């Protein structure tokens, strides 16, 4: 009886685990075998205690900012604490998403906090690393980093990290649209968000208006960088009335080309970036992290973008034929 009960519990956990994922295509190996299972355990526990996903997201913000503070110090102890805090923040980030999908507890505030939390983590980390390094010597020179480290951080953060993460997320949502339809994707458009913004009353709805205004501009930046996909999306809507209603063969062809690119979207998300951050901070050479952003991750970004645009162009040509 005990063995049967354990098997039932194991099967139930596996079922809930599958339901808590967006899709196996868009999940990274580290997440599937490490982050998500731990996140689900926490999600089930906190749901049982009646804790809302938004509270978990707020907790992740404090943990992530705390990690940034720890990375300010050059000694090993503080940096190990920083690694642990950022890992806990990531577990919480995974937990709130899984919990929201399982319970349906999705709110506008939750969307705002979820998008804002990761930005706060890395802002505090970048700030801490700049303060840590500005008085140190540039390797193999007698010159201090000074303002140069701030410039390096600004370029790697604003011109690399931010667009890399936003386009990676955009490509995942596009993939989910073709894989699962609108219900399984969070693909939004600039026009859609502008329409929502304009429809909201100017008094009494300031928070919603602010969210949709900023989110519309976020969508606009994604759309501006993906002209071939925008052309494909317009074609699908014009030809079939909705991208979701495109022929199965066309959707399969797109997914076949998009699926290999998902590993690059994952590389530009959290795990690879965090691993390099951990290693460089523990080795007391965090400036290498900024160079990694500028070189390796930028190279992945350029390749991923090029391949995705070419895929969209091929699919557009198929519709024209």
């Amino acid at each position: 009886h005990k063995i049967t009960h354990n098997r039932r519990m194991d099967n139930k956990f596996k079922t809930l685990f599958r339901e808590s994922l967006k899709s196996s295509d868009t999940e990274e190996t580290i997440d599937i075998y490490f982050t998500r299972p731990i996140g689900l355990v926490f999600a089930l526990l906190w749901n049982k205690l009646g804790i809302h996903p938004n509270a978990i997201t707020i907790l992740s913000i404090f943990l992530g900012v705390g990690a940034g503070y720890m990375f300010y110090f050059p000694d090993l102890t503080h940096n190990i604490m920083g690694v642990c805090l950022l890992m806990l923040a990531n577990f919480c980030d995974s937990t709130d998403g899984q919990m929201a999908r399982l319970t349906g507890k999705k709110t506008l505030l939750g969307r705002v906090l979820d998008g804002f939390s990761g930005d706060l983590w890395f802002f505090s980390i970048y700030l801490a690393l700049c303060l840590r390094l500005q008085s140190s010597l540039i390797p193999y020179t007698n010159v201090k980093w000074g303002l140069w480290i701030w410039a390096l951080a600004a370029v790697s953060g604003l011109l690399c990290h931010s667009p890399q993460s936003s386009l990676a997320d955009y490509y995942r949502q596009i993939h989910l649209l073709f894989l699962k339809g609108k219900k399984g994707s969070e693909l939004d458009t600039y026009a859609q968000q502008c329409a929502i913004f304009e429809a909201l009353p100017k008094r009494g709805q300031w928070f919603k208006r602010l969210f949709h205004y900023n989110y519309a501009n976020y969508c606009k930046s994604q759309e501006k960088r993906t002209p071939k996909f925008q052309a494909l999306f317009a074609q699908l809507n014009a030809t079939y009335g909705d991208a979701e209603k495109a022929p199965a063969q066309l959707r399969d062809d797109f997914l076949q080309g998009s699926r290999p690119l998902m590993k690059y979207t994952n590389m530009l998300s959290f795990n690879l970036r965090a691993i390099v951050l951990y290693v460089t901070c523990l080795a007391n050479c965090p400036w290498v992290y900024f160079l990694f952003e500028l070189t390796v991750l930028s190279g992945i970004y350029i390749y991923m973008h090029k391949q995705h645009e070419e895929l969209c162009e091929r699919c557009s040509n198929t519709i024209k034929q």
Side-chain angles (χ1 to χ4, degrees):
H1 290 296
K2 188 174 182 179
I3 293 173
T4 303
H5 175 73
N6 288 338
R7 284 177 179 172
R8 286 177 180 172
M9 291 295 291
D10 185 50
N11 289 334
K12 184 178 179 181
F13 184 84
K14 288 179 179 178
T15 300
L16 287 172
F17 180 67
R18 285 193 296 270
E19 291 175 353
S20 71
L21 300 178
K22 292 180 179 179
S23 81
S24 57
D25 284 358
T26 55
E27 293 287 350
E28 197 170 355
T29 303
I30 292 175
D31 288 334
I32 290 175
Y33 293 102
F34 182 62
T35 310
R36 303 301 187 215
I38 294 173
L40 179 58
V41 171
F42 280 114
L44 295 173
L45 174 62
W46 283 332
N47 187 52
K48 195 172 183 179
L49 295 173
I51 298 174
H52 197 277
N54 290 352
I56 302 168
T57 307
I58 293 170
L59 174 61
S60 81
I61 292 173
F62 283 101
L63 291 169
V65 172
Y69 175 74
M70 293 300 169
F71 288 134
Y72 164 75
F73 301 96
D75 62 280
L76 189 63
T77 302
H78 278 94
N79 281 268
I80 290 174
M81 292 172 67
V83 170
C84 293
L85 285 172
L86 191 56
M87 288 179 68
L88 285 172
N90 191 42
F91 286 140
C92 288
D93 185 61
S94 176
T95 296
D96 63 16
Q98 289 173 282
M99 194 171 170
R101 283 189 287 275
L102 288 173
T103 63
K105 295 177 179 178
K106 297 181 180 180
T107 64
L108 178 62
L109 178 60
R111 290 183 68 186
V112 174
L113 288 172
D114 191 52
F116 193 49
S117 59
D119 292 338
L120 278 178
W121 301 353
F122 279 96
F123 176 80
S124 65
I125 290 167
Y126 278 46
L127 177 64
L129 294 183
C130 288
L131 292 171
R132 170 176 170 171
L133 290 168
Q134 65 178 356
S135 299
S136 302
L137 295 176
I138 298 174
Y140 313 112
T141 73
N142 291 320
V143 180
K144 290 184 178 181
W145 277 106
L147 292 176
W148 286 108
I149 195 62
W150 292 93
L152 184 62
V155 172
S156 63
L158 298 175
L159 300 184
C160 297
H161 185 157
S162 181
Q164 288 165 8
S165 298
S166 68
L167 198 64
D169 181 62
Y170 193 55
Y171 285 161
R172 280 197 298 269
Q173 299 309 325
I174 292 170
H175 187 87
L176 288 168
L177 177 68
F178 280 83
L179 181 68
K180 291 187 167 184
K182 291 180 181 178
K183 290 183 178 179
S185 172
E186 295 176 352
L187 184 68
D188 295 310
T189 68
Y190 172 71
Q192 176 194 54
Q193 294 304 311
C194 282
I196 296 173
F197 172 78
E198 294 294 339
L200 289 168
K202 293 184 178 180
R203 292 187 179 181
Q205 295 287 344
W206 68 268
F207 182 75
K208 286 186 178 181
R209 284 177 61 83
L210 180 64
F211 168 78
H212 288 290
Y213 177 81
N214 289 325
Y215 189 44
N217 288 319
Y218 177 78
C219 293
K220 186 178 183 179
S221 72
Q222 293 173 319
E223 292 170 6
K224 190 175 180 180
R225 286 176 283 155
T226 54
K228 299 295 184 184
F229 172 70
Q230 302 311 317
L232 172 62
F233 197 53
Q235 271 185 294
L236 291 170
N237 288 326
T239 307
Y240 307 108
D242 196 317
E244 194 173 7
K245 296 176 183 177
Q249 184 60 55
L250 178 59
R251 285 187 280 111
D252 288 342
D253 289 344
F254 182 88
L255 289 170
Q256 188 176 355
S258 175
R259 197 167 282 118
L261 300 180
M262 290 302 101
K263 63 177 176 285
Y264 301 114
T265 67
N266 289 328
M267 288 178 188
L268 295 175
S269 299
F270 177 80
N271 289 328
L272 178 59
R273 186 173 271 115
I275 290 169
V276 174
L277 175 68
Y278 298 155
V279 172
T280 55
C281 285
L282 292 171
N284 198 23
C285 55
W287 55 270
V288 175
Y289 168 77
F290 294 133
L291 293 182
F292 181 77
E293 284 269 11
L294 286 166
T295 56
V296 178
L297 293 185
S298 290
I300 293 172
Y301 172 83
I302 292 168
Y303 177 78
M304 176 190 72
H305 179 258
K306 181 176 180 292
Q307 292 298 310
H308 199 276
E309 286 288 275
E310 289 178 356
L311 168 63
C312 293
E313 187 172 25
R314 290 197 301 272
C315 290
S316 290
N317 292 334
T318 301
I319 297 173
K320 291 175 183 177
Q321 293 171 2

